[in-house]
PDB file of all heavy atoms in Angstrom:
ATOM      1  N   TYR A  29      -1.735  11.472  17.706  1.00 89.00           N
ATOM      2  CA  TYR A  29      -1.733  11.444  16.246  1.00 89.00           C
ATOM      3  C   TYR A  29      -2.738  10.420  15.743  1.00 89.00           C
ATOM      4  O   TYR A  29      -3.409  10.644  14.742  1.00 89.00           O
ATOM      5  CB  TYR A  29      -0.330  11.101  15.756  1.00 89.00           C
ATOM      6  CG  TYR A  29      -0.213  10.932  14.273  1.00 89.00           C
ATOM      7  CD1 TYR A  29      -0.175  12.029  13.423  1.00 89.00           C
ATOM      8  CD2 TYR A  29      -0.150   9.657  13.706  1.00 89.00           C
ATOM      9  CE1 TYR A  29      -0.074  11.881  12.071  1.00 89.00           C
ATOM     10  CE2 TYR A  29      -0.048   9.492  12.340  1.00 89.00           C
ATOM     11  CZ  TYR A  29      -0.003  10.605  11.528  1.00 89.00           C
ATOM     12  OH  TYR A  29       0.087  10.441  10.167  1.00 89.00           O
ATOM     13  N   HIS A  32      -5.628   3.375  17.883  1.00 95.00           N
ATOM     14  CA  HIS A  32      -5.817   2.075  17.260  1.00 95.00           C
ATOM     15  C   HIS A  32      -6.590   1.183  18.219  1.00 95.00           C
ATOM     16  O   HIS A  32      -6.294   1.159  19.411  1.00 95.00           O
ATOM     17  CB  HIS A  32      -4.453   1.426  16.968  1.00 95.00           C
ATOM     18  CG  HIS A  32      -3.517   2.286  16.181  1.00 95.00           C
ATOM     19  ND1 HIS A  32      -2.887   1.836  15.048  1.00 95.00           N
ATOM     20  CD2 HIS A  32      -3.098   3.561  16.358  1.00 95.00           C
ATOM     21  CE1 HIS A  32      -2.120   2.800  14.566  1.00 95.00           C
ATOM     22  NE2 HIS A  32      -2.238   3.856  15.340  1.00 95.00           N
ATOM     23  N   TYR A  34      -7.902  -2.742  19.148  1.00 96.00           N
ATOM     24  CA  TYR A  34      -7.658  -4.163  18.940  1.00 96.00           C
ATOM     25  C   TYR A  34      -8.543  -4.979  19.878  1.00 96.00           C
ATOM     26  O   TYR A  34      -8.918  -4.511  20.946  1.00 96.00           O
ATOM     27  CB  TYR A  34      -6.193  -4.525  19.236  1.00 96.00           C
ATOM     28  CG  TYR A  34      -5.183  -3.965  18.271  1.00 96.00           C
ATOM     29  CD1 TYR A  34      -4.697  -2.665  18.412  1.00 96.00           C
ATOM     30  CD2 TYR A  34      -4.713  -4.739  17.207  1.00 96.00           C
ATOM     31  CE1 TYR A  34      -3.773  -2.160  17.522  1.00 96.00           C
ATOM     32  CE2 TYR A  34      -3.780  -4.233  16.318  1.00 96.00           C
ATOM     33  CZ  TYR A  34      -3.322  -2.951  16.478  1.00 96.00           C
ATOM     34  OH  TYR A  34      -2.394  -2.446  15.597  1.00 96.00           O
ATOM     35  N   GLN A  36      -8.479  -8.822  21.708  1.00 95.00           N
ATOM     36  CA  GLN A  36      -7.646  -9.995  21.965  1.00 95.00           C
ATOM     37  C   GLN A  36      -8.446 -11.040  22.715  1.00 95.00           C
ATOM     38  O   GLN A  36      -9.040 -10.749  23.750  1.00 95.00           O
ATOM     39  CB  GLN A  36      -6.408  -9.600  22.788  1.00 95.00           C
ATOM     40  CG  GLN A  36      -5.426 -10.749  23.002  1.00 95.00           C
ATOM     41  CD  GLN A  36      -4.207 -10.323  23.788  1.00 95.00           C
ATOM     42  OE1 GLN A  36      -4.266  -9.431  24.627  1.00 95.00           O
ATOM     43  NE2 GLN A  36      -3.078 -10.960  23.519  1.00 95.00           N
ATOM     44  N   ALA A  41      -3.197 -13.558  19.859  1.00 89.00           N
ATOM     45  CA  ALA A  41      -2.648 -12.231  19.635  1.00 89.00           C
ATOM     46  C   ALA A  41      -3.773 -11.235  19.364  1.00 89.00           C
ATOM     47  O   ALA A  41      -4.888 -11.623  18.989  1.00 89.00           O
ATOM     48  CB  ALA A  41      -1.679 -12.255  18.464  1.00 89.00           C
ATOM     49  N   PRO A  42      -3.515  -9.965  19.550  1.00 92.00           N
ATOM     50  CA  PRO A  42      -4.533  -8.949  19.261  1.00 92.00           C
ATOM     51  C   PRO A  42      -4.886  -8.912  17.781  1.00 92.00           C
ATOM     52  O   PRO A  42      -4.024  -9.082  16.917  1.00 92.00           O
ATOM     53  CB  PRO A  42      -3.859  -7.639  19.682  1.00 92.00           C
ATOM     54  CG  PRO A  42      -2.770  -8.045  20.607  1.00 92.00           C
ATOM     55  CD  PRO A  42      -2.300  -9.376  20.121  1.00 92.00           C
ATOM     56  N   PHE A  44      -6.488  -6.546  14.810  1.00 91.00           N
ATOM     57  CA  PHE A  44      -6.738  -5.150  14.468  1.00 91.00           C
ATOM     58  C   PHE A  44      -8.220  -4.928  14.144  1.00 91.00           C
ATOM     59  O   PHE A  44      -8.809  -5.672  13.372  1.00 91.00           O
ATOM     60  CB  PHE A  44      -5.866  -4.783  13.260  1.00 91.00           C
ATOM     61  CG  PHE A  44      -6.106  -3.412  12.704  1.00 91.00           C
ATOM     62  CD1 PHE A  44      -5.572  -2.304  13.326  1.00 91.00           C
ATOM     63  CD2 PHE A  44      -6.847  -3.235  11.547  1.00 91.00           C
ATOM     64  CE1 PHE A  44      -5.775  -1.035  12.811  1.00 91.00           C
ATOM     65  CE2 PHE A  44      -7.059  -1.974  11.020  1.00 91.00           C
ATOM     66  CZ  PHE A  44      -6.520  -0.871  11.655  1.00 91.00           C
ATOM     67  N   ILE A  47      -8.368   1.979  12.951  1.00 91.00           N
ATOM     68  CA  ILE A  47      -7.464   3.057  13.303  1.00 91.00           C
ATOM     69  C   ILE A  47      -8.166   4.374  13.028  1.00 91.00           C
ATOM     70  O   ILE A  47      -8.906   4.508  12.058  1.00 91.00           O
ATOM     71  CB  ILE A  47      -6.137   2.955  12.510  1.00 91.00           C
ATOM     72  CG1 ILE A  47      -5.209   4.113  12.830  1.00 91.00           C
ATOM     73  CG2 ILE A  47      -6.405   2.899  11.016  1.00 91.00           C
ATOM     74  CD1 ILE A  47      -3.853   4.017  12.145  1.00 91.00           C
ATOM     75  N   TYR A  98       7.025   6.826  15.136  1.00 83.00           N
ATOM     76  CA  TYR A  98       5.753   6.176  15.454  1.00 83.00           C
ATOM     77  C   TYR A  98       5.949   4.958  16.349  1.00 83.00           C
ATOM     78  O   TYR A  98       6.794   4.109  16.079  1.00 83.00           O
ATOM     79  CB  TYR A  98       5.113   5.764  14.130  1.00 83.00           C
ATOM     80  CG  TYR A  98       4.013   4.748  14.235  1.00 83.00           C
ATOM     81  CD1 TYR A  98       2.684   5.135  14.255  1.00 83.00           C
ATOM     82  CD2 TYR A  98       4.297   3.384  14.291  1.00 83.00           C
ATOM     83  CE1 TYR A  98       1.677   4.196  14.336  1.00 83.00           C
ATOM     84  CE2 TYR A  98       3.296   2.444  14.375  1.00 83.00           C
ATOM     85  CZ  TYR A  98       1.982   2.866  14.392  1.00 83.00           C
ATOM     86  OH  TYR A  98       0.979   1.941  14.473  1.00 83.00           O
ATOM     87  N   LYS A  99       5.163   4.889  17.407  1.00 89.00           N
ATOM     88  CA  LYS A  99       5.066   3.680  18.204  1.00 89.00           C
ATOM     89  C   LYS A  99       3.769   3.773  18.996  1.00 89.00           C
ATOM     90  O   LYS A  99       3.253   4.862  19.251  1.00 89.00           O
ATOM     91  CB  LYS A  99       6.255   3.512  19.155  1.00 89.00           C
ATOM     92  CG  LYS A  99       6.365   4.570  20.244  1.00 89.00           C
ATOM     93  CD  LYS A  99       7.558   4.263  21.134  1.00 89.00           C
ATOM     94  CE  LYS A  99       7.670   5.298  22.248  1.00 89.00           C
ATOM     95  NZ  LYS A  99       8.838   5.030  23.138  1.00 89.00           N
ATOM     96  N   LEU A 100       3.236   2.625  19.359  1.00 93.00           N
ATOM     97  CA  LEU A 100       1.974   2.562  20.073  1.00 93.00           C
ATOM     98  C   LEU A 100       2.189   2.305  21.556  1.00 93.00           C
ATOM     99  O   LEU A 100       3.045   1.495  21.930  1.00 93.00           O
ATOM    100  CB  LEU A 100       1.085   1.452  19.510  1.00 93.00           C
ATOM    101  CG  LEU A 100       0.477   1.666  18.123  1.00 93.00           C
ATOM    102  CD1 LEU A 100      -0.415   0.480  17.758  1.00 93.00           C
ATOM    103  CD2 LEU A 100      -0.306   2.964  18.067  1.00 93.00           C
ATOM    104  N   PHE A 102      -0.164   1.051  24.704  1.00 96.00           N
ATOM    105  CA  PHE A 102      -1.460   0.423  24.900  1.00 96.00           C
ATOM    106  C   PHE A 102      -2.018   0.687  26.296  1.00 96.00           C
ATOM    107  O   PHE A 102      -1.280   0.769  27.280  1.00 96.00           O
ATOM    108  CB  PHE A 102      -1.358  -1.089  24.673  1.00 96.00           C
ATOM    109  CG  PHE A 102      -1.248  -1.455  23.223  1.00 96.00           C
ATOM    110  CD1 PHE A 102      -0.015  -1.564  22.617  1.00 96.00           C
ATOM    111  CD2 PHE A 102      -2.387  -1.669  22.460  1.00 96.00           C
ATOM    112  CE1 PHE A 102       0.088  -1.882  21.271  1.00 96.00           C
ATOM    113  CE2 PHE A 102      -2.302  -1.990  21.114  1.00 96.00           C
ATOM    114  CZ  PHE A 102      -1.056  -2.090  20.519  1.00 96.00           C
ATOM    115  N   GLY A 103      -3.346   0.812  26.353  1.00 96.00           N
ATOM    116  CA  GLY A 103      -4.032   0.874  27.629  1.00 96.00           C
ATOM    117  C   GLY A 103      -4.050  -0.487  28.294  1.00 96.00           C
ATOM    118  O   GLY A 103      -3.576  -1.481  27.733  1.00 96.00           O
TER     119      GLY A 103
ATOM    120  N   PHE B  34       7.752  -4.483  15.369  1.00 96.00           N
ATOM    121  CA  PHE B  34       7.751  -4.161  16.791  1.00 96.00           C
ATOM    122  C   PHE B  34       7.700  -5.466  17.585  1.00 96.00           C
ATOM    123  O   PHE B  34       7.048  -6.426  17.177  1.00 96.00           O
ATOM    124  CB  PHE B  34       6.522  -3.327  17.159  1.00 96.00           C
ATOM    125  CG  PHE B  34       6.373  -2.058  16.364  1.00 96.00           C
ATOM    126  CD1 PHE B  34       5.730  -2.073  15.135  1.00 96.00           C
ATOM    127  CD2 PHE B  34       6.872  -0.862  16.843  1.00 96.00           C
ATOM    128  CE1 PHE B  34       5.581  -0.915  14.390  1.00 96.00           C
ATOM    129  CE2 PHE B  34       6.730   0.305  16.106  1.00 96.00           C
ATOM    130  CZ  PHE B  34       6.087   0.280  14.887  1.00 96.00           C
ATOM    131  N   TYR B  36       6.709  -6.974  21.358  1.00 97.00           N
ATOM    132  CA  TYR B  36       5.996  -6.706  22.601  1.00 97.00           C
ATOM    133  C   TYR B  36       6.124  -7.911  23.521  1.00 97.00           C
ATOM    134  O   TYR B  36       6.340  -9.033  23.087  1.00 97.00           O
ATOM    135  CB  TYR B  36       4.504  -6.466  22.343  1.00 97.00           C
ATOM    136  CG  TYR B  36       4.171  -5.225  21.553  1.00 97.00           C
ATOM    137  CD1 TYR B  36       4.185  -5.247  20.163  1.00 97.00           C
ATOM    138  CD2 TYR B  36       3.823  -4.041  22.184  1.00 97.00           C
ATOM    139  CE1 TYR B  36       3.856  -4.110  19.424  1.00 97.00           C
ATOM    140  CE2 TYR B  36       3.490  -2.905  21.455  1.00 97.00           C
ATOM    141  CZ  TYR B  36       3.512  -2.953  20.076  1.00 97.00           C
ATOM    142  OH  TYR B  36       3.185  -1.836  19.354  1.00 97.00           O
ATOM    143  N   GLN B  38       3.909  -9.575  26.879  1.00 94.00           N
ATOM    144  CA  GLN B  38       2.641  -9.484  27.590  1.00 94.00           C
ATOM    145  C   GLN B  38       2.592 -10.519  28.695  1.00 94.00           C
ATOM    146  O   GLN B  38       2.735 -11.720  28.441  1.00 94.00           O
ATOM    147  CB  GLN B  38       1.467  -9.685  26.630  1.00 94.00           C
ATOM    148  CG  GLN B  38       0.109  -9.436  27.268  1.00 94.00           C
ATOM    149  CD  GLN B  38      -1.031  -9.575  26.263  1.00 94.00           C
ATOM    150  OE1 GLN B  38      -0.979 -10.402  25.369  1.00 94.00           O
ATOM    151  NE2 GLN B  38      -2.073  -8.765  26.426  1.00 94.00           N
ATOM    152  N   SER B  43      -1.372  -5.657  29.944  1.00 93.00           N
ATOM    153  CA  SER B  43      -1.347  -4.999  28.649  1.00 93.00           C
ATOM    154  C   SER B  43      -0.096  -5.393  27.861  1.00 93.00           C
ATOM    155  O   SER B  43       0.773  -6.108  28.351  1.00 93.00           O
ATOM    156  CB  SER B  43      -1.376  -3.487  28.855  1.00 93.00           C
ATOM    157  OG  SER B  43      -1.509  -2.822  27.618  1.00 93.00           O
ATOM    158  N   LEU B  46       5.672  -2.525  24.887  1.00 96.00           N
ATOM    159  CA  LEU B  46       6.609  -2.460  23.772  1.00 96.00           C
ATOM    160  C   LEU B  46       8.034  -2.665  24.285  1.00 96.00           C
ATOM    161  O   LEU B  46       8.463  -2.011  25.239  1.00 96.00           O
ATOM    162  CB  LEU B  46       6.492  -1.095  23.080  1.00 96.00           C
ATOM    163  CG  LEU B  46       7.430  -0.850  21.902  1.00 96.00           C
ATOM    164  CD1 LEU B  46       7.117  -1.809  20.752  1.00 96.00           C
ATOM    165  CD2 LEU B  46       7.316   0.591  21.421  1.00 96.00           C
ATOM    166  N   GLU B  59      13.098   0.132  24.225  1.00 95.00           N
ATOM    167  CA  GLU B  59      12.400   0.950  25.214  1.00 95.00           C
ATOM    168  C   GLU B  59      13.200   0.962  26.524  1.00 95.00           C
ATOM    169  O   GLU B  59      14.018   0.063  26.790  1.00 95.00           O
ATOM    170  CB  GLU B  59      10.997   0.408  25.467  1.00 95.00           C
ATOM    171  CG  GLU B  59      10.091   0.532  24.262  1.00 95.00           C
ATOM    172  CD  GLU B  59       9.901   1.968  23.815  1.00 95.00           C
ATOM    173  OE1 GLU B  59       9.401   2.788  24.632  1.00 95.00           O
ATOM    174  OE2 GLU B  59      10.247   2.284  22.653  1.00 95.00           O
ATOM    175  N   LYS B  97       4.468  -3.315  10.278  1.00 91.00           N
ATOM    176  CA  LYS B  97       3.834  -2.117   9.704  1.00 91.00           C
ATOM    177  C   LYS B  97       4.462  -1.842   8.349  1.00 91.00           C
ATOM    178  O   LYS B  97       5.680  -1.926   8.195  1.00 91.00           O
ATOM    179  CB  LYS B  97       4.069  -0.952  10.666  1.00 91.00           C
ATOM    180  CG  LYS B  97       3.679   0.418  10.197  1.00 91.00           C
ATOM    181  CD  LYS B  97       4.055   1.422  11.269  1.00 91.00           C
ATOM    182  CE  LYS B  97       3.988   2.858  10.789  1.00 91.00           C
ATOM    183  NZ  LYS B  97       4.770   3.137   9.593  1.00 91.00           N
ATOM    184  N   ASN B 102      -0.197   3.421   8.820  1.00 83.00           N
ATOM    185  CA  ASN B 102      -0.152   3.514  10.276  1.00 83.00           C
ATOM    186  C   ASN B 102      -0.580   2.230  10.986  1.00 83.00           C
ATOM    187  O   ASN B 102      -0.312   2.070  12.165  1.00 83.00           O
ATOM    188  CB  ASN B 102      -1.049   4.663  10.755  1.00 83.00           C
ATOM    189  CG  ASN B 102      -0.474   6.017  10.381  1.00 83.00           C
ATOM    190  OD1 ASN B 102       0.504   6.458  10.963  1.00 83.00           O
ATOM    191  ND2 ASN B 102      -1.067   6.656   9.388  1.00 83.00           N
ATOM    192  N   GLU B 103      -1.242   1.338  10.271  1.00 87.00           N
ATOM    193  CA  GLU B 103      -1.743   0.135  10.939  1.00 87.00           C
ATOM    194  C   GLU B 103      -0.614  -0.824  11.290  1.00 87.00           C
ATOM    195  O   GLU B 103       0.320  -1.013  10.511  1.00 87.00           O
ATOM    196  CB  GLU B 103      -2.748  -0.606  10.032  1.00 87.00           C
ATOM    197  CG  GLU B 103      -4.012   0.164   9.725  1.00 87.00           C
ATOM    198  CD  GLU B 103      -3.871   1.033   8.486  1.00 87.00           C
ATOM    199  OE1 GLU B 103      -2.738   1.335   8.064  1.00 87.00           O
ATOM    200  OE2 GLU B 103      -4.917   1.403   7.916  1.00 87.00           O
ATOM    201  N   GLN B 104      -0.734  -1.440  12.473  1.00 91.00           N
ATOM    202  CA  GLN B 104       0.169  -2.509  12.881  1.00 91.00           C
ATOM    203  C   GLN B 104      -0.639  -3.801  12.890  1.00 91.00           C
ATOM    204  O   GLN B 104      -1.755  -3.837  13.391  1.00 91.00           O
ATOM    205  CB  GLN B 104       0.691  -2.290  14.306  1.00 91.00           C
ATOM    206  CG  GLN B 104       1.822  -1.324  14.454  1.00 91.00           C
ATOM    207  CD  GLN B 104       2.364  -1.317  15.868  1.00 91.00           C
ATOM    208  OE1 GLN B 104       2.469  -2.359  16.527  1.00 91.00           O
ATOM    209  NE2 GLN B 104       2.725  -0.137  16.331  1.00 91.00           N
ATOM    210  N   PHE B 106      -0.524  -7.813  14.084  1.00 95.00           N
ATOM    211  CA  PHE B 106       0.191  -8.651  15.035  1.00 95.00           C
ATOM    212  C   PHE B 106       0.333 -10.089  14.551  1.00 95.00           C
ATOM    213  O   PHE B 106      -0.545 -10.637  13.885  1.00 95.00           O
ATOM    214  CB  PHE B 106      -0.545  -8.650  16.381  1.00 95.00           C
ATOM    215  CG  PHE B 106      -0.315  -7.406  17.177  1.00 95.00           C
ATOM    216  CD1 PHE B 106      -1.097  -6.285  16.973  1.00 95.00           C
ATOM    217  CD2 PHE B 106       0.703  -7.353  18.116  1.00 95.00           C
ATOM    218  CE1 PHE B 106      -0.884  -5.130  17.708  1.00 95.00           C
ATOM    219  CE2 PHE B 106       0.922  -6.198  18.848  1.00 95.00           C
ATOM    220  CZ  PHE B 106       0.130  -5.086  18.650  1.00 95.00           C
ATOM    221  N   GLY B 107       1.441 -10.693  14.942  1.00 95.00           N
ATOM    222  CA  GLY B 107       1.610 -12.122  14.761  1.00 95.00           C
ATOM    223  C   GLY B 107       0.837 -12.857  15.843  1.00 95.00           C
ATOM    224  O   GLY B 107       0.304 -12.235  16.763  1.00 95.00           O
ATOM    225  N   PRO B 108       0.779 -14.186  15.762  1.00 95.00           N
ATOM    226  CA  PRO B 108       0.006 -14.984  16.715  1.00 95.00           C
ATOM    227  C   PRO B 108       0.649 -15.115  18.084  1.00 95.00           C
ATOM    228  O   PRO B 108       0.023 -15.605  19.016  1.00 95.00           O
ATOM    229  CB  PRO B 108      -0.110 -16.345  16.030  1.00 95.00           C
ATOM    230  CG  PRO B 108       1.066 -16.398  15.129  1.00 95.00           C
ATOM    231  CD  PRO B 108       1.325 -15.004  14.673  1.00 95.00           C
TER     232      PRO B 108
END
Side-chain angles (χ1 to χ4, degrees):
Chain A
Y29 175 77
H32 307 231
Y34 292 83
Q36 185 179 30
F44 174 79
I47 178 176
Y98 163 97
K99 65 178 181 180
L100 289 182
F102 285 90
Chain B
F34 304 86
Y36 294 85
Q38 187 177 35
S43 187
L46 179 65
E59 294 300 300
K97 172 183 167 305
N102 290 287
E103 296 89 341
Q104 280 187 39
F106 283 86

